[in-house]
Amino acid sequence: MKKFLTLTAASALAFYMTACSDNSTSADDDPLKPGSVYVFGSDYKAGELRWVNEDGVSDKSVQFNQDSKIVGIDGNLFVLERLGADNLSLVDASENKVKWQVELDDGANPSDVVKADKDEVWVALEGAAKFVKVAVKDGKITKTVETKKFNQGKATTPNLVDLEVSGDTLFALFQRSENYAYPAPGLLALYKLSNGDLLDTIKLAKKNPMAMGFAKGKLYVASQGEYNESNGTDADDKRGIEVVDFGKKNTSVVVDGKKLGGGVYAFAVDSEEGVAYAAVYKGFGDVPLMKVDLSKKDAKAVSDVNDVEGSLFFDDVDGVLYVGDRGSKGGLYKYDNGKVTKIESPKEMLPVYNITIVR
């Protein structure tokens, strides 16, 4: 593909070493603090936001669009209402009430949000060929970065699905689908965090990347690959987890779909231990949880959950993985020290769809 803005060899090495020295998704060096767990539920018709108290998941809830994602940043809780709504909301976590809500472009389909600075956040748009910087105080857009140069073929968007921040760099993950197919591998783009200037791009090894995360100074990308005729994914080498080599500007596969048993739908990383957790989408209702040792390049199943399509979130402070199971064992779970424990929740709670922590 066309090569966009690149750095010289010497400056690139210095830049990447600086960029990858901080595994935090925050734009500053403040230490992480304990936080509150929030869970979003959906039955594909209605959506609700709940929070975890000492006794379990709250009886109270706040209603949102059924297809929503929740992200906690600096004590704030952002709700990204996706297909059918295209809104961005800020929830006051102290009162669990909406402070403001702004409408995005029709079909924008917001997919992620990360901290840009103390006053602004970057918002990824999967359904538009751009991403935007938004003011935390009122939701107003302060900056727009065009991404249409990454569109695949006749597609109108490059499908930006995930953002990460490390040091002064914003990392953007593009699926680059065309007419519901994936003719080309995914793409990783690096931007200057402060203003969104494009720094470099790296072509991935696999198609349909879903998420990424840092572990021990390295960036790992998880891909689901293309669907099979049964709308599931195959246990082959066309999908898996790859690690980025910033010096060589390429990636190499850590574990593929053969070891995982299929493609990765959701992905969370324990950055200190160098362990990744992958929800492997074998088919609808069959989404096991795999624990991956990134240095040993091996994977093993985590028992007692079997349909973890309901999101994964790793708490870097407590070292606990939160798991959403949407199957027969449905509910919110935590995985700690090799043990899976279900968190008490109201009977009327909708199936878990998304999880985050607000610090």
Side-chain angles (χ1 to χ4, degrees), residues 35-246:
S36 300
V37 179
Y38 281 77
V39 57
F40 187 85
S42 172
D43 59 1
Y44 305 122
K45 296 179 181 179
E48 61 179 20
L49 174 69
R50 295 179 185 265
W51 44 96
V52 178
N53 301 316
E54 292 183 359
D55 298 327
V57 180
S58 64
D59 292 326
K60 296 181 179 180
S61 63
V62 181
Q63 306 306 302
F64 287 96
N65 178 57
Q66 62 87 15
D67 182 20
S68 296
K69 180 177 180 178
I70 54 176
V71 180
I73 300 176
D74 283 357
N76 295 309
L77 177 62
F78 293 90
V79 180
L80 291 74
E81 295 184 286
R82 293 163 51 79
L83 293 175
D86 300 307
N87 295 323
L88 175 67
S89 301
L90 179 65
V91 173
D92 183 344
S94 65
E95 299 181 356
N96 292 317
K97 294 182 178 180
V98 177
K99 294 181 65 174
W100 53 253
Q101 183 179 79
V102 295
E103 294 183 1
L104 302 171
D105 295 344
D106 289 344
N109 200 14
S111 55
D112 200 10
V113 56
V114 295
K115 181 177 177 179
D117 53 54
K118 64 182 181 65
D119 299 315
E120 299 168 305
V121 293
W122 286 109
V123 180
L125 304 177
E126 185 177 351
K130 62 184 178 181
F131 61 92
V132 295
K133 183 188 280 188
V134 172
V136 174
K137 66 177 181 179
D138 55 17
K140 291 183 178 179
I141 294 176
T142 61
K143 176 83 174 183
T144 298
V145 178
E146 301 289 339
T147 60
K148 61 183 179 181
K149 64 177 64 176
F150 300 140
N151 290 0
Q152 173 63 37
K154 296 181 180 180
T156 59
T157 171
N159 316 108
L160 174 55
V161 293
D162 194 20
L163 295 174
E164 288 290 332
V165 172
S166 186
D168 298 325
T169 307
L170 175 68
F171 299 81
L173 184 64
F174 296 95
Q175 290 180 333
R176 305 186 72 230
S177 69
E178 183 180 11
N179 195 26
Y180 303 104
Y182 300 89
L187 182 75
L188 176 67
L190 286 68
Y191 296 88
K192 190 173 181 180
L193 180 63
S194 59
N195 59 15
D197 285 351
L198 180 64
L199 299 168
D200 215 340
T201 60
I202 297 175
K203 184 178 180 180
L204 300 176
K206 304 300 180 184
K207 298 178 180 180
N208 194 14
M210 302 296 286
M212 56 184 169
F214 282 96
K216 294 185 178 295
K218 296 181 180 181
L219 181 61
Y220 294 85
V221 180
S223 297
Q224 184 170 269
E226 296 182 278
Y227 291 99
N228 55 30
E229 294 182 355
S230 301
N231 292 320
T233 65
D234 296 321
D236 58 22
D237 61 1
K238 295 182 179 180
R239 63 208 84 235
I241 299 171
E242 52 194 293
V243 61
V244 181
D245 186 324
F246 291 104

